């Protein structure tokens, strides 16, 4: 086992996990509701790239189309699944977000195919490079770089822009934020748009590992995002990032250390560790601000 | 300027406000007194749009604003400071003030000017401007939430128990500030438990009991009416 190799694996997996978790928690932080259709935003990003793959456009433009459609799907989730029932009840929103998720998956099954579809990838994604003495797929380095850029961008947005600060205020006390004149709908739509942007980024990086998209592709990222936010702390954005990297550390460590015939039970080991972490810190590792009422 | 008619607020089966009518004229400082649970905060929050009115009307300059969202009320010039004194604890003092001016974010010069005014009025806030607001003391947080509400340049200010739980010297400071705001022409509806101090700065007052208005009149008359004292002071004669 090579230390540099291990670190690179943890960082590239963790970067992807952290972006997934952040996309889920940005909405959860404000609405205190899990968007079960989050995984389908990733799916939409993937299928969009498949659909434009024959167009002959440069890859970056195709990736841009994927990102844009993921953002559009995020905002659509707000308008179609959340906004009509948001004020009514939590249960209603859980059901509509499940329904929206199923609707999108079934649309992919029906109008595209239940079988995997190839997504265009630049030749760079499949190349291997030598870095810090290890030979590693270039896409791992790309994932790390993209994660660093996106996390930096995100942190700048939340710290230094009026919208970001308003979103943080809304996440700690939504009612008081509205009493500052911050429109509830603007903040919520912005959260869904950012969620979509992160999902689109994840779509490119995640599908870059497999090369194909299927209707159920969103399930695993949703689960990863959920576990990462639970262990990191549902209330805080930095918790999502910490949780993402921690989960990647656990997964990678198990990949390296479990004997071959136990490897297919890796998730069982992962979940056991997650349960241990939650017994130790039921609220997650990073504690968010104290107040947290739904509005 | 602010005209409330037969306002009712219910929390499930609890009828917190049962038909309150009151009025605040332009430039007036009106106090709403009443024992705990009388429905003062509910009245104020319903005016601000933060809780839903079950019945009744709220008019602002003659225009019906019943049921408007809280953000809409701020845009219309009504700023509220709830008794829960909600600073955004992990944002800095300066960011809290900045948020108060959210509706004016295209007027950065004016916002900066107002902010330095508030810093002059409360030098302690200027000193702490880069600290998370959660680190401030109770009195400092109260100064911050009032200053933050003023950052939207409201024409009506709703203040809910600004002196609650503060040291006497800070209470005096807060009342000094309220007097100053009134003198500058701001219309204020004040909810207070500290009746003597509130009446001393007010033009008029209403006394609430069990969700209804029991008495109203010029502040000096309400202050002189000994039979009312048991209503808003609890047991004292
Ligand atoms: N969120 C709520 N849910 C249920 N009942 C509530 C809620 N808020 C207030 N009430 C009830 O409504 C009534 C009026 O409460 P309100 O807070 O308006 O009174 P108040 O005059 O402001 O009292 P205080 O002086 O204690 O602040 C009370 O009986 C209270 O128990
Ligand atoms: Mg009250």
């Amino acid at each position: 086992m090579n230390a540099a190799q291990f670190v690179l694996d943890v960082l590239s997996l963790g970067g992807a996990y952290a972006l997934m978790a952040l996309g889920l928690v940005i909405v959860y932080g404000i609405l205190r509701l899990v968007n079960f259709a989050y995984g389908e935003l990733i799916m939409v990003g993937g299928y969009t790239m498949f659909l434009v793959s024959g167009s002959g456009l440069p890859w970056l433009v195709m990736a841009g189309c994927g990102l844009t459609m993921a953002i559009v799907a995020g905002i659509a989730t707000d308008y179609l699944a959340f906004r009509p029932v948001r004020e009514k009840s939590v249960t209603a929103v859980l059901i509509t977000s499940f329904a929206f998720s199923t609707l999108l998956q079934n649309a992919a099954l029906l109008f595209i195919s239940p079988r995997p579809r190839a997504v265009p990838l630049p030749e760079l994604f499949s190349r291997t490079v030598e870095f810090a003495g290890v030979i590693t797929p270039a896409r791992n380095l790309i994932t790390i770089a993209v994660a660093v850029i996106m996390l930096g961008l995100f942190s700048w947005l939340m710290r230094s822009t009026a919208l970001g600060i308003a979103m943080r205020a809304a996440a700690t006390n939504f009612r008081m934020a509205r009493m500052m004149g911050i429109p509830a709908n603007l903040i919520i739509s912005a959260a869904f748009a950012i969620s979509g942007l992160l999902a689109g980024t994840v779509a490119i990086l995640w599908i870059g590992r497999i090369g194909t998209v299927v209707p159920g592709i969103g399930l695993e990222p949703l689960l990863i995002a959920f576990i990462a936010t639970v262990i990191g702390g549902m209330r805080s954005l930095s918790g999502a990032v910490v949780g993402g990297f921690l989960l990647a550390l656990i997964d990678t460590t198990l990949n390296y250390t479990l004997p071959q015939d136990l490897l297919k039970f890796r998730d069982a080991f992962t979940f056991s560790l997650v349960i241990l972490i939650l017994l130790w810190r039921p609220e997650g590792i990073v504690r968010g601000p104290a107040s947290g009422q739904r509005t | 300027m602010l005209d409330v008619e037969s306002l009712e607020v219910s929390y499930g089966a609890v009828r917190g406000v049962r038909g309150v009518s009151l009025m605040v004229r332009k430039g007036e400082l009106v106090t709403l007194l009443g024992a705990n649970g009388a429905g003062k905060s509910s009245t104020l929050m319903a005016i601000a749009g933060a809780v839903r009115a079950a019945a009744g009307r709220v008019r602002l300059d003659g225009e019906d604003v019943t049921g408007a969202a809280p953000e809409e009320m701020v845009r219309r010039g009504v700023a509220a400071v709830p008794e829960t004194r909600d600073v955004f604890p992990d944002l800095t003092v300066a960011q809290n003030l900045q948020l108060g001016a959210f509706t004016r974010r295209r007027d950065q010069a004016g916002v900066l000017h107002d902010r330095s005014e508030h810093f002059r009025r409360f030098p302690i806030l200027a000193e702490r401007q880069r600290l998370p607001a959660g680190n401030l003391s109770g009195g400092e947080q109260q100064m911050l939430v009032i200053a933050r509400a003023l950052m939207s340049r409201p024409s009506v200010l709703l203040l809910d128990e600004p002196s609650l739980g503060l040291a006497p010297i800070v209470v005096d400071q807060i009342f000094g500030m309220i007097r100053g705001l009134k003198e500058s022409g701001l219309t204020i509806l004040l909810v207070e438990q500290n009746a003597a101090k509130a009446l001393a700065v007010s033009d008029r007052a209403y006394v609430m009991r069990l969700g209804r208005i029991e008495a109203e009149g010029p502040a000096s008359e309400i202050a002189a009416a000994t039979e009312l004292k048991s209503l808003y002071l609890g047991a004292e004669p």
Side-chain angles (χ1 to χ4, degrees), chain B residues 36-37 39-42 83 160-161 191 193:
Chain B
N36 291 116
K40 308 177 298 290
S41 301
S42 306
E83 67 188 325
D160 197 352
E161 302 208 30
V191 165
Q193 296 276 1

Side-chain angles (χ1 to χ4, degrees), chain A residues 165-177:
Chain A
I165 292 169
M167 292 179 77
R168 282 164 65 201
T172 42
N173 190 335
F174 198 41
R175 187 182 80 145
M176 198 61 227

Side-chain angles (χ1 to χ4, degrees), chain A residues 12 14 30 38 47 51 60 67 106 125 127 196 222 224 239 242 253:
Chain A
S12 68
I30 286 167
Y38 177 58
Y47 276 114
L51 290 173
L60 274 177
L67 276 182
N106 282 324
F125 263 62
R127 216 184 291 163
L222 174 69
I224 290 168
V242 171
T253 309

Side-chain angles (χ1 to χ4, degrees), chain A residues 31 33 35-37 40-41 44 69-89 91-104 107 185 188-189 192-193:
Chain A
L31 290 177
L33 289 167
N35 172 17
F36 286 106
E40 278 58 54
L41 306 184
V44 166
M69 283 312 291
I71 296 173
V72 169
I75 297 172
T77 316
D78 178 26
Y79 274 84
L80 299 175
F82 280 70
R83 195 167 290 191
V85 290
R86 206 172 65 211
E87 322 255 275
K88 306 228 163 58
S89 84
T91 329
V93 178
L94 291 185
I95 292 171
T96 49
S97 88
F98 255 128
F100 193 65
S101 151
T102 313
L103 182 83
L104 286 175
N185 285 340
I188 295 169
S189 290
F192 274 98

Side-chain angles (χ1 to χ4, degrees), chain A residues 24-291:
Chain A
L24 189 68
V25 88
I26 182 80
V27 169
Y28 180 83
I30 286 167
L31 290 177
R32 304 278 180 265
L33 289 167
V34 173
N35 172 17
F36 286 106
Y38 177 58
E40 278 58 54
L41 306 184
I42 295 170
M43 180 202 84
V44 166
Y47 276 114
T48 305
M49 290 180 67
F50 157 71
L51 290 173
V52 296
S53 60
S55 63
L57 291 166
W59 181 79
L60 274 177
V61 177
M62 292 196 268
C65 291
L67 276 182
T68 310
M69 283 312 291
I71 296 173
V72 169
I75 297 172
T77 316
D78 178 26
Y79 274 84
L80 299 175
F82 280 70
R83 195 167 290 191
V85 290
R86 206 172 65 211
E87 322 255 275
K88 306 228 163 58
S89 84
V90 182
T91 329
V93 178
L94 291 185
I95 292 171
T96 49
S97 88
F98 255 128
F100 193 65
S101 151
T102 313
L103 182 83
L104 286 175
Q105 282 198 36
N106 282 324
L109 278 173
L110 193 63
F111 297 115
I112 300 175
S113 163
R115 300 173 46 75
R117 284 288 177 257
V119 166
L121 290 173
E123 186 258 336
L124 183 62
F125 263 62
S126 42
R127 216 184 291 163
T128 57
V129 289
E130 197 183 324
F131 181 83
V134 287
I135 293 176
T136 184
R139 65 177 143 76
N140 281 357
L141 298 181
I142 295 171
T143 304
I144 295 173
V146 171
V148 166
I149 292 169
M150 292 302 286
L151 292 178
L153 198 66
F154 187 81
S155 136
W156 169 80
L157 178 83
M158 297 309 279
R159 274 168 212 284
S160 312
T161 67
L163 180 70
I165 292 169
M167 292 179 77
R168 282 164 65 201
T172 42
N173 190 335
F174 198 41
R175 187 182 80 145
M176 198 61 227
R178 296 182 70 181
M179 288 169 79
M180 301 283 91
I182 299 166
N185 285 340
L186 170 78
I187 291 302
I188 295 169
S189 290
F192 274 98
I194 294 173
S195 180
L197 172 68
L198 290 162
T201 312
V202 168
I204 296 166
L205 299 173
W206 196 243
I207 294 169
R209 292 172 169 259
I210 335 165
T212 57
V213 54
V214 291
I217 189 142
L219 183 63
E220 195 186 355
L222 174 69
L223 199 61
I224 290 168
F226 188 69
I227 296 168
T229 49
V230 166
I231 58 180
M234 295 287 273
R235 294 273 185 76
S236 97
L237 298 172
S238 45
V241 177
V242 171
F245 279 99
L246 184 63
L247 188 60
L249 178 68
I250 294 173
D251 278 354
T252 313
T253 309
L254 292 173
N255 279 347
Y256 273 64
T257 52
L258 282 183
Q260 197 62 43
D261 48 341
L262 282 181
L263 213 46
K264 59 177 175 291
F265 301 115
R266 190 195 73 182
D267 286 349
F269 286 91
T270 304
F271 282 122
S272 314
L273 280 168
V274 167
I275 290 168
L276 283 181
I277 293 173
L278 289 179
L279 286 174
W280 166 56
R281 287 213 131 177
E283 299 228 5
I285 292 169
V286 182
R287 300 235 163 97
S291 70

Side-chain angles (χ1 to χ4, degrees), chain A residues 168-169 173 176 178-179 184, chain B residues 69 71 74 86 91 95 99 148:
Chain A
R168 282 164 65 201
N173 190 335
M176 198 61 227
R178 296 182 70 181
M179 288 169 79
Chain B
E71 57 262 38
V74 179
D86 299 306
L91 298 181
Q95 286 171 329
L99 280 175
R148 187 178 68 183

Side-chain angles (χ1 to χ4, degrees), chain B residues 103-170:
Chain B
T103 49
R104 296 169 58 209
R105 57 198 185 288
R106 292 206 173 73
D107 173 27
Q108 272 312 307
V111 170
L112 284 178
H113 169 266
D114 288 9
R115 204 179 73 171
S116 53
E117 284 283 276
H118 293 305
F119 281 158
R120 199 162 25 247
R121 191 176 322 187
F122 303 117
I124 191 78
L125 293 184
E127 255 170 60
R128 313 258 144 115
Q129 57 176 303
R130 309 217 171 282
L131 284 184
N135 292 8
L136 299 182
S137 73
E140 290 160 1
Q141 293 196 358
Q142 186 64 55
M143 295 172 196
L144 176 59
V145 290
I146 296 178
R148 187 178 68 183
L150 293 172
M151 290 296 288
S152 66
R153 284 210 184 152
S155 45
V156 181
L157 181 65
L158 309 174
L159 279 178
D160 197 352
E161 302 208 30
S163 75
L164 188 71
L166 301 182
I169 184 163
V170 187

